[in-house]
Amino acid sequence: MRSSKELCSLPKETFDLVIAANRLPVDRVVHPDGEVEWRRSPGGLVTAMESVMRGRDGAWIGWSGDPGEAPEPFREDDMQLHPVPLSADEVSDYYEGFSNGSLWPLYHDVIVQPTFKRRWRAAYERINKRFADAAADLAAEGGTVWVQDYQLQEMPAMLRAQRPDLRLGWFNHIPFPPVELFMQLPARESLLHGLLGADFLGFQRKADAYNFLNACRQLLAASVKGDVVRLPDGHATRAAAVPISIDAQAMADLATTPGVKARAAEIREQLGNPEHLMLGVDRLDYTKGIRHRLKAVGELYQEGALDPATTKFIQVATPSRERLEAYQHIRSQVERTVGQINGDHSPIGAPAVTYLHRSFPREEMAALFLAADVMLVTPLRDGMNLVAKEYIAAHDGTGALVLSEFTGAASELKQAYLTNPHDISALKQSIMNAIQAPPDVLARRMRAMRRQVMTHDVQRWAEDFLTNLAAAPERPR
């Protein structure tokens, strides 16, 4: 971390690799004395892309997180960062509005009904153009621009119009919906045309790539052969699954450090050294299935299948999008459910459920992973879920993973206790199966999953994506 006094403006230069994401990989922190420093942001995208950027001639374009004028470009942790400005109104309309009020619920099976406003859509197009302009200015001749996620779906075509010399890739970190849901989106065709500005589109699952290809076939009447979309002007875009992963070795190494191991033992001791410790780690989001998970755990306590004195559950819920009504609602529901479970079942001074509504440093998360006997990863819909992979990387031969069938991770981690989180009875049975499994069965399952995670790490994901991008069909100039 560096203070603002140490941040230096970069000379005007171009880069062979440009990453464009909604947010920069750092957060601005102002201390009481006015000193400013930049800290690495939490979250799967930052963790994954930081590893990709390390050692490459690259720049990262993104919003700093504060509305108003953007800071000057600067270097931080060996990454060259170029902030894009967003006004307060643009944050409200582009980010909280269209990105997270329209696209996010639509792309997550309409668990919450999406809202569509023309003002939001106009802001989305305007900000995508701003990102495209920034990338066009920074990318070297014949360079590569890798666009990230659902907030920037119109950027590829906008950038293509300015810089046909570039290789353009886009990766979707969340699900892509079936065409029957995608059709609800006003001006849906322009979003598809925006994505088709890229040479290669990466998705978490084969089903997501298929959904995109099917949308192009039905809504654009485009020619789709195999995984390639071809438009009448000859432009071709390939769409395929390239599932994201984590820096698995870094998590594995962190989990073996004396400090983390001692902290894991301390966590269990603070909880009374329970016979079984279950853990959930999520952003506080309605897609994560936290209420369903709590309902299952509460019923297991109620039925006597789990003893609240000897089986404890920790739920970490990282604050997320707290100004949006849907997120305020899920927070109140989760907190009310936790209170009800503890009121009904906890011994005096020893809550059955420990609820933590805040973020934690990486070392503390590694200690929680290491301390937990059973990890509950049960989203109602999730593009991948990197927490599941982090838990596995932290464990060498121990532990159990209860995993939703509706995560991208379920396609890779087949030795997990796969479950349907919408079916509370099935979820309860999966939890009990994980808790009651013999140690040799748990060890065999964990070894297989760990091999998968350690072999298919974030570096392999980046190499696979960039290899696919380099091999994508050439475009006519």
Side-chain angles (χ1 to χ4, degrees):
M1 296 179 292
R2 301 181 186 182
S3 72
S4 59
K5 296 176 182 176
E6 299 174 292
L7 299 179
C8 56
S9 294
L10 296 174
K12 181 66 175 178
E13 59 182 317
T14 58
F15 303 89
D16 292 332
L17 174 65
V18 175
I19 303 296
N22 176 64
R23 285 293 302 272
L24 290 174
V26 292
D27 292 323
R28 182 172 178 266
V29 179
V30 181
H31 295 286
D33 62 0
E35 187 77 7
V36 175
E37 67 179 11
W38 296 88
R39 295 178 181 171
R40 193 184 75 167
S41 305
L45 171 60
V46 171
T47 301
M49 295 310 300
E50 184 184 44
S51 301
V52 173
M53 293 290 285
R54 198 176 297 131
R56 296 178 185 266
D57 175 29
W60 185 310
I61 297 169
W63 176 47
S64 69
D66 293 318
E69 293 186 9
E72 289 295 313
F74 61 93
R75 183 186 295 274
E76 180 69 21
D77 289 340
D78 297 323
M79 289 188 290
Q80 302 188 62
L81 308 181
H82 293 255
V84 173
L86 294 180
S87 69
D89 286 344
E90 288 170 339
V91 173
S92 177
D93 291 344
Y94 147 77
Y95 179 68
E96 294 175 346
F98 191 72
S99 294
N100 293 312
S102 301
L103 292 175
W104 180 270
L106 187 71
Y107 283 34
H108 287 86
D109 292 355
V110 193
I111 296 169
V112 166
Q113 190 67 30
T115 301
F116 305 116
K117 295 185 179 181
R118 283 173 288 183
R119 184 182 77 249
W120 291 357
R121 181 54 179 268
Y124 185 84
E125 293 176 0
R126 186 169 65 252
I127 300 309
N128 271 247
K129 180 63 164 58
R130 190 174 301 164
F131 272 79
D133 292 343
D137 193 45
L138 285 171
E141 180 71 23
T144 296
V145 176
W146 188 354
V147 184
Q148 304 293 325
D149 225 359
Y150 65 104
Q151 300 98 343
L152 299 174
Q153 292 180 85
E154 299 215 7
M155 179 183 168
M158 294 172 172
L159 181 55
R160 173 70 59 196
Q162 299 184 61
R163 293 289 305 274
D165 60 294
L166 298 175
R167 295 298 274 177
L168 302 183
W170 176 84
F171 185 79
N172 196 35
H173 293 259
I174 69 173
F176 195 90
V179 67
E180 294 79 11
L181 293 180
F182 185 78
M183 288 173 66
Q184 296 180 28
L185 187 67
R188 59 213 181 187
E189 292 84 1
S190 68
L191 230 60
L192 295 176
H193 280 295
L195 291 173
L196 290 173
D199 298 295
F200 177 69
L201 303 172
F203 296 88
Q204 300 282 25
R205 306 174 306 145
K206 291 181 180 178
D208 296 317
Y210 171 81
N211 288 343
F212 170 78
L213 294 167
N214 196 32
C216 291
R217 183 185 293 110
Q218 293 195 37
L219 300 179
L220 301 183
S223 170
V224 180
K225 293 185 178 180
D227 58 8
V228 176
V229 182
R230 195 171 298 275
L231 295 175
D233 63 2
H235 286 189
T237 299
R238 181 167 173 257
V242 188
I244 197 172
S245 193
I246 62 169
D247 190 342
Q249 192 59 55
M251 175 55 74
D253 292 343
L254 183 59
T256 61
T257 59
V260 167
K261 292 168 75 172
R263 176 59 184 146
E266 182 182 29
I267 289 170
R268 293 188 69 96
E269 184 177 355
Q270 289 175 331
L271 295 172
N273 288 314
E275 183 179 349
H276 303 290
L277 176 58
M278 302 181 293
L279 174 66
V281 176
D282 310 86
R283 282 191 309 103
L284 187 54
D285 190 290
Y286 52 78
T287 66
K288 300 300 183 180
I290 299 174
R291 288 190 303 118
H292 297 66
R293 188 183 311 157
L294 287 168
K295 182 173 179 60
V297 170
E299 288 188 8
L300 289 171
Y301 286 142
Q302 179 68 38
E303 295 162 2
L306 295 180
D307 183 349
T310 60
T311 300
K312 303 295 184 179
F313 178 41
I314 298 176
Q315 175 63 59
V316 177
T318 305
S320 176
R321 302 165 188 163
E322 295 192 291
R323 298 204 311 175
L324 299 183
E325 183 179 352
Y327 291 80
Q328 296 168 2
H329 184 59
I330 187 65
R331 178 178 179 179
S332 65
Q333 287 182 319
V334 166
E335 291 177 351
R336 185 167 60 248
T337 304
V338 170
Q340 182 177 350
I341 292 172
N342 282 331
D344 290 345
H345 305 296
S346 295
I348 294 176
V353 178
T354 298
Y355 175 69
L356 304 169
H357 181 242
R358 58 186 185 273
S359 300
F360 291 94
R362 194 161 177 77
E363 292 77 11
E364 183 73 359
M365 293 310 306
L368 284 165
F369 292 145
L370 196 58
D373 304 299
V374 179
M375 185 81 201
L376 304 183
V377 179
T378 56
L380 306 179
R381 169 63 73 192
D382 213 338
M384 174 52 63
N385 197 288
L386 298 181
V387 166
K389 295 187 175 185
E390 289 182 324
Y391 176 77
I392 290 167
H395 280 259
D396 189 2
T398 61
L401 174 64
V402 176
L403 182 62
S404 167
E405 298 168 340
F406 304 109
T407 63
S411 299
E412 299 180 82
L413 305 178
K414 298 185 183 299
Q415 294 78 20
Y417 290 90
L418 298 177
T419 192
N420 174 7
H422 298 275
D423 184 342
I424 300 300
S425 296
L427 178 54
K428 287 160 59 180
Q429 188 59 58
S430 295
I431 293 171
M432 294 307 301
N433 289 344
I435 285 178
Q436 296 173 344
D440 61 323
V441 172
L442 294 177
R444 184 172 66 251
R445 285 173 172 259
M446 185 59 75
R447 281 195 301 269
M449 291 190 291
R450 203 165 191 267
R451 266 195 311 272
Q452 169 70 24
V453 170
M454 300 301 289
T455 302
H456 296 80
D457 64 0
V458 68
Q459 290 294 340
R460 179 163 174 177
W461 167 72
E463 291 166 5
D464 287 348
F465 185 95
L466 293 173
T467 297
N468 277 285
L469 177 56
E474 290 289 338
R475 287 176 174 262
R477 297 288 181 90

